[in-house]
Amino acid sequence: MAHSLNPEQSRAVRTIEGPVLILAGAGTGKTRVITHRIARMLTQGIAPENILAVTFTNKAAREMQSRVSKLLPRRRPRQDDGTKDPPKRPTICTFHSLGVRILRRHIQALGYKRNFVIYSQSDQLGVIKKILSHMGGHAEKPDPASVLALLSRYRNQGEGGEEPFADEQSRALAQRIEARYVDALKACNAVDFDDLILLTLKLLRSQPEVLSACRERYRYVMVDEYQDTNAKQFELIHLLTAEHRNLCVVGDDDQSIYGWRGAEIANLLELDRYYPEVTTIKLEQNYRSTNAILKAANAVIRHNTRRKEKTLWSEKGMGSRIQLASYADDEEEARSVVEEIDFRRLAKKIPWKDHAILFRTNQQSRVLETALRNAKIRYRLVGGQSFFDRREIKEFVAYLKTVLNPHDDISLLRIANVPARGISDKTAQTLLALSQEHRCSVFEIMGRLQVHSELSRQAINGIGELNRLIHHFHLALEQPGLSLTSWVETLLEDTRYLEELRRSEKDPAVADSRIQNIRDLIASIDSSPTSRLPHQQLEAFLEDLTLDADRLTEKEDTGDQVTLITTHSCKGLEFPHVFLVGVEEGLLPHSRSRVEGTLEEERRLFYVALTRAMSSLVLSICHSRKRYGEKTPCHPSPFLAEIPEEWVEHRDEANRAPVEQAVGKSLFGSIKDAIQ
C-alpha cells in the first residue's frame, strides 16, 4: 500500500491518533491519502462502523468508497455455519447525508416523524413565495430566490461568525421570515438542506444520550475540503470529536473560494484554537501540472496574507511558459480561442475533450458558445440546467412526494391541476388560505365538506378526484411485495400525465425527450433488492434523489467535447489544456471584491483556475468587451502583474508574428495527414 505514497503522504496515512491537519495543495493526491488512511485504519483493526469520512459531494464520497474497497482484501471471514459475514463499511458520506442518518434515528425527540421529507430548492422557493404573499405592506415584494439565499446565510451563521449581511434591513427581513418558514416546513413534516445540519445540531445539544451514542460510534472522523466548511458544519464536527480528539481534516486554505456562501477559512487557519495538539502535515508535491504553471501559481498566491505557507512543485519538468494573449474585443477572443482548439485537433491530434475554457461570470459563456457552434465544435456547458430542474421531473417527483406524504403542501399544490382537473390558481389560493386559518394541511382541508361551499362545482369535482387518487395510491404503498415500478406505471396511467406532456409540447421530439426523462427516473426505482416495505423504499428513493441530484447528470457520456466552465465550478477538476478568458479588472477580480473586501478570495479563485492546467495554459484579455449592447474599455487584471515575467510568453493577436518556415511545413504536414 505505502509504496505508491511519497514521504509526506505516507506520514499523513500513518498518523491515526489525535487531531491532524493535512494541508493538501492543488493536485497533491489528497484523495489517495484519505483512502489509504481509511484502509490503514481498517487493516489495523479499527472497526469500520467507528470510521466516518465526510465530503462535500456525493461523487467524491462514491469515489472514496470505491477506492477504499479496492485497497482491502476481497475475501471476508466465514462464520461457524459457513456463511460469509455481511460486509461492513466505514461511513463515507456528505454532511447532509450524515445529518439524515442521525435524524432518521432520533428526530422524534424534536417533534418530527421519522418519515420526514427533504425539500429541494424549488420546494423551498414555494414556501418562501407563500410567506411573502401573506406578508403585510404594499411595497414591492423581494425576489424569493434572494430571500431564500439570505435566509440560509442567516440560519447558518455561527456565534461570532463572519457577518453575512450588508445592512440591518436584510437581517430584519431574515429574522421576520425565519419563524414562519420553520413552522411551515414542520407543519408538512418536512426539512430542508440547512435543517439536515441545524436540526442535527439541535438534537446533539439537547439530547446528551444521542450525542454520547454518536461520539461512541464515530471514533475516527475525517473531513475533506475542510476549508469549505461553514460555522454550523464546524460545530457539528467539533461536537462529535471534542472528547476522543481523533479528527483528521484535509484541505487547502489557498483554494477557499466559497466565502460568499458561508464557508469560513478561519475553520482551517485557526484549527489549533480548538485542537492545540494538532499535527500539521503539508502535501506539496503536485502530480498534475508542469513547474512553469506551478511557479506562476505559487508567485500569485504568496500575495495573500491570510494563508499557511506552502510551495507546490512537480517532477513533470518545466514545461512551456504560460501564454498571455490580448484581443481587440470578446468576440475576437472567443473566435481565436475556438480556432486554436480546432487547429490543435487537426495539427497536433489533441482531442476537443482535452481542452477547457474557464470564465469568471456566466454572462461570458454566450459569445464562447456562439463561436463554438459556428465552428461546429461539440462542447458541454458545466453548470447548465440540472436534470432535476426540468419541469417534467419536478412535477413527477411532486406526485411521488404527495402520495407518500399527502400533507406536503408544496408538492400537492404543484400537481393539483397537472393535468388540468378544474383546480385553478384561485382555488389553490383559497385552499391554502383555509389551511392556514384552520392550522392544518391543504390535504386535510380538501377532505372537509364545509370548504365546498366556497368553491365552484368544477373545483369540487377536481378536488374529489385528486383526493381519491392520493388516498388510493397512498394505501397501496402499505402492501408488502408491491413492485414500485408497476405502482408508478399505474400512477402515470391514472393521472394521464404522459398524455399531458405530449399535449403540452408543440414539438413531438421535445415531448419524447421529456417522457424519456421520466422513464429514466422510473428505471432506477427498483434498481436494488430490498426487504423494506414499499413506502419505505419510496421514501429512501426520494431521499437519494434530493441528496444525490447530480447522479443521473453525472452518468451522461460527455464524449469528445470542449468543456465550458466557470472558475468557481472548476475546483477539483483538471484538464490537459486550459484557456482562462477575461483576466481583467472587474471580472477577475470581480468589481464587487474591492467594496466587499474579498480581494484575497478573488486571488484564490485565480490560483484555482491556474492550477487546473496540466500541460498548457493560455490567459487572455480584451481591450474592450460588450456589456448591455455597448462596448466598454477593459483593463488587465492586477493579478497578471504578480506572475513573474520569466514564466509568461506574450501574444498580441492583432500583431502576430509570422510562423517560421520549418514550423509551418511541419504543421501543414500534420493537417494533411489528418484529413486524408
Side-chain angles (χ1 to χ4, degrees), residues 118-355:
I118 304 169
Y119 271 11
S120 66
Q121 187 178 40
S122 59
D123 297 328
Q124 293 173 264
L125 285 171
V127 176
I128 294 294
K129 288 174 184 175
K130 183 171 77 172
I131 292 171
L132 292 176
S133 69
H134 289 86
M135 285 177 63
H138 300 286
E140 184 179 343
K141 294 293 189 292
D143 171 55
S146 300
V147 171
L148 181 60
L150 182 75
L151 182 63
S152 180
R153 288 293 296 272
Y154 177 74
R155 299 179 76 204
N156 279 288
Q157 66 176 335
E159 294 296 327
E162 296 181 7
E163 177 57 57
F165 300 108
D167 55 73
E168 280 304 312
Q169 188 177 359
S170 296
R171 174 182 288 279
L173 177 61
Q175 288 175 327
R176 188 180 176 194
I177 286 177
E178 184 190 24
R180 301 185 192 192
Y181 176 82
V182 170
D183 288 347
L185 263 64
K186 193 168 184 178
C188 299
N189 196 38
V191 301
D192 67 11
F193 269 68
D194 290 334
D195 285 327
L196 297 178
I197 307 298
L198 298 176
L199 290 178
T200 301
L201 283 174
K202 186 176 181 181
L203 187 67
L204 296 180
R205 293 192 207 109
S206 62
Q207 307 292 322
E209 70 284 359
V210 175
L211 175 59
S212 179
C214 289
R215 283 175 170 174
E216 184 62 31
R217 175 167 187 164
Y218 302 123
R219 298 198 59 78
Y220 293 86
V221 178
M222 298 182 68
V223 185
D224 187 21
E225 301 286 8
Y226 192 67
Q227 76 281 349
D228 294 337
T229 53
N230 63 29
K232 299 300 183 184
Q233 290 162 342
F234 169 80
E235 186 182 351
L236 174 58
I237 294 300
H238 185 57
L239 275 172
L240 291 176
T241 61
E243 283 191 355
H244 59 64
R245 317 291 284 177
N246 295 324
L247 170 65
C248 174
V249 302
V250 185
D252 181 8
D253 49 311
D254 291 335
Q255 296 187 76
S256 179
I257 59 174
Y258 298 123
W260 49 275
R261 68 183 188 197
E264 295 192 9
I265 193 173
N267 291 346
L268 187 150
L269 294 176
E270 301 172 14
L271 185 67
D272 55 358
R273 282 180 54 193
Y274 299 88
Y275 301 87
E277 72 275 34
V278 65
T279 299
T280 300
I281 301 170
K282 294 182 183 180
L283 304 182
E284 297 174 296
Q285 182 176 354
N286 177 284
Y287 294 91
R288 174 187 300 155
S289 308
T290 62
N291 278 299
I293 293 168
L294 296 179
K295 284 181 178 293
N298 287 333
V300 168
I301 203 63
R302 284 198 186 101
H303 285 78
N304 273 7
T305 57
R306 201 180 179 200
R307 67 183 291 266
K308 290 184 178 289
E309 179 60 37
K310 68 188 77 68
T311 302
L312 298 184
W313 60 276
S314 170
E315 291 183 345
K316 290 184 69 174
M318 195 55 66
S320 57
R321 290 185 294 171
I322 294 172
Q323 295 195 342
L324 176 59
S326 60
Y327 300 97
D329 55 34
D330 49 346
E331 290 183 355
E332 183 186 323
E333 177 186 51
R335 187 169 58 251
S336 297
V337 167
V338 168
E339 285 174 355
E340 183 165 351
I341 290 172
D342 208 23
F343 173 76
R344 289 181 180 187
R345 180 170 176 265
L346 284 171
K348 300 181 180 180
K349 307 293 197 318
I350 302 174
W352 288 331
K353 64 183 175 63
D354 284 358
H355 298 89

